[in-house]
Amino acid sequence: MRAIVCESYGPAEVLSLKEVAKPKPKATEILVKIKSTAVNSGDVRVRGFIVDGIQRILMKLVLGSKKPRKPILGLVFSGIVEELGANVKKFKVGDEVFGMTGFQFGCYAEYICVKEHSVVCERPSNASFDEAVSIIFGGTSAYHFLKKAKIDQTPKKILIYGAAGSVGVAGVQIAKYYDADITAVVSGKGIELMESLGVNKIVDYSKGEFQNLKADYDIVFDAVGKIGKKDFSHVLNPNCIFKSVEGWDVATESLDKMLFLKKLFEEGKYKAVIDKIFKLEEIVDAHRYVQTGKKKGDVVIQVA
């Protein structure tokens, strides 16, 4: 099968398309023919080993010291179940599924084996493979942080910084689902995107509008993690909950989060926002684009 292999940490060019052995499902695994995957900020950080401070030591232990211990990267997938392990009961051949693999990676390939009780379920009935895969990373990340901020407990006033990225777009839609009063901080094309998602309070940080905001929020969510907490001091009041994607708190993959996203999408309360679509053999270009930090929504890779 074709797969993208990362044999060392470094720039996007360390990724190469190769022929590798097609996996065979074990007794409790399913073999999925991957239709789509995605390139997220997490993929870029792993490939380039873009980690600072003491986190570098931890990440070397988790990922591998000089190169990825698991050379086929990729965190999310959507596709079709092609083969079942002998003891699989939950799925059948032909099921259309989507899921995420966490530090097991393996999604930059034509096939992947995953345990039937891992983070995989039937894709939303009204979503294409591209749409299904695009909602996973940002959706699970945003849901993780917003639930910790108690977004589901009485309507909240929330400020989302970097609202046009993958996590930000998901955060806006999840906050909207919980009837929050949303202020989105974006720039450029992000303004039009926020309008399309029904956000009325939009702040253009390229014009310095962010610095003029007052501390009038229940939740402040930094969805990009490019600036420090001190840069949010003017919008934080004593009762405000601050959450950021930057730091030790990491969104873990879980089936409950996937089922929540599936439910929202099927109910028409979650929209897939896809910036660009690349082919598997264009993975280097996709990583370069994501690393610019300019993407709006998600970048999808069509595998098959």
Side-chain angles (χ1 to χ4, degrees), residues 48-300:
F49 205 79
I50 305 171
V51 191
D52 297 321
I54 195 172
Q55 286 186 329
R56 291 182 65 85
I57 299 173
L58 176 63
M59 293 303 282
K60 281 186 177 183
L61 293 173
V62 173
L63 301 176
S65 179
K66 296 182 179 179
K67 61 181 181 179
R69 206 171 280 118
K70 297 182 180 295
I72 300 176
L73 303 181
L75 301 167
V76 298
F77 66 90
S78 63
I80 303 172
V81 177
E82 187 169 285
E83 188 177 343
L84 307 177
N87 298 332
V88 171
K89 306 296 183 184
K90 186 178 178 181
F91 297 97
K92 64 182 184 297
V93 172
D95 281 348
E96 298 180 351
V97 298
F98 75 141
M100 62 189 312
T101 57
F103 286 129
Q104 295 302 310
F105 301 106
C107 300
Y108 289 173
E110 290 183 309
Y111 293 90
I112 190 170
C113 285
V114 295
K115 293 181 179 180
E116 68 168 326
H117 293 298
S118 62
V119 187
V120 56
C121 60
E122 290 189 9
R123 70 182 171 108
S125 58
N126 54 341
S128 67
F129 289 106
D130 290 346
E131 289 173 329
V133 82
S134 74
I135 70 175
I136 302 172
F137 180 80
T140 56
S141 297
Y143 187 55
H144 170 84
F145 289 106
L146 293 185
K147 281 284 281 186
K148 281 198 165 187
K150 303 178 181 178
I151 190 72
D152 55 335
Q153 298 180 20
T154 71
K156 299 286 196 300
K157 293 188 70 174
I158 181 171
L159 175 72
I160 301 179
Y161 184 90
S166 176
V167 179
V169 162
V172 165
Q173 297 186 85
I174 292 170
K176 189 175 181 182
Y177 173 76
Y178 286 113
D179 296 320
D181 182 351
I182 305 165
T183 298
V185 183
V186 293
S187 72
K189 293 181 179 179
I191 295 173
E192 183 179 343
L193 173 57
M194 290 301 104
E195 290 174 343
S196 73
L197 294 176
V199 178
N200 298 318
K201 298 177 182 178
I202 304 171
V203 174
D204 188 343
Y205 68 75
S206 68
K207 296 181 179 179
E209 294 176 1
F210 172 62
Q211 297 303 325
N212 296 325
L213 295 176
K214 305 299 181 183
D216 189 32
Y217 305 97
D218 301 305
I219 302 170
V220 171
F221 179 38
D222 176 10
V224 287
K226 290 185 177 180
I227 62 177
K229 185 176 180 179
K230 65 180 185 299
D231 298 298
F232 291 92
S233 59
H234 64 292
V235 293
L236 299 176
N237 61 62
N239 298 316
C240 179
I241 299 174
F242 176 76
K243 293 294 178 182
S244 174
V245 296
E246 185 67 25
W248 290 102
D249 189 7
V250 178
T252 55
E253 60 275 4
S254 77
L255 186 57
D256 286 345
K257 293 172 186 172
M258 294 286 293
L259 292 173
F260 173 77
L261 296 173
K262 180 177 185 289
K263 172 181 177 289
L264 260 59
F265 198 95
E266 290 180 336
E267 292 177 352
K269 297 174 181 177
Y270 197 113
K271 175 183 177 183
V273 178
I274 299 174
D275 187 332
K276 289 190 177 185
I277 297 175
F278 293 84
K279 300 297 184 183
L280 185 63
E281 55 269 24
E282 299 172 321
I283 195 76
V284 171
D285 291 333
H287 266 250
R288 285 176 182 154
Y289 180 63
V290 173
Q291 195 163 353
T292 65
K294 297 179 179 179
K295 74 179 178 70
K296 302 292 182 272
D298 288 84
V299 169
V300 169

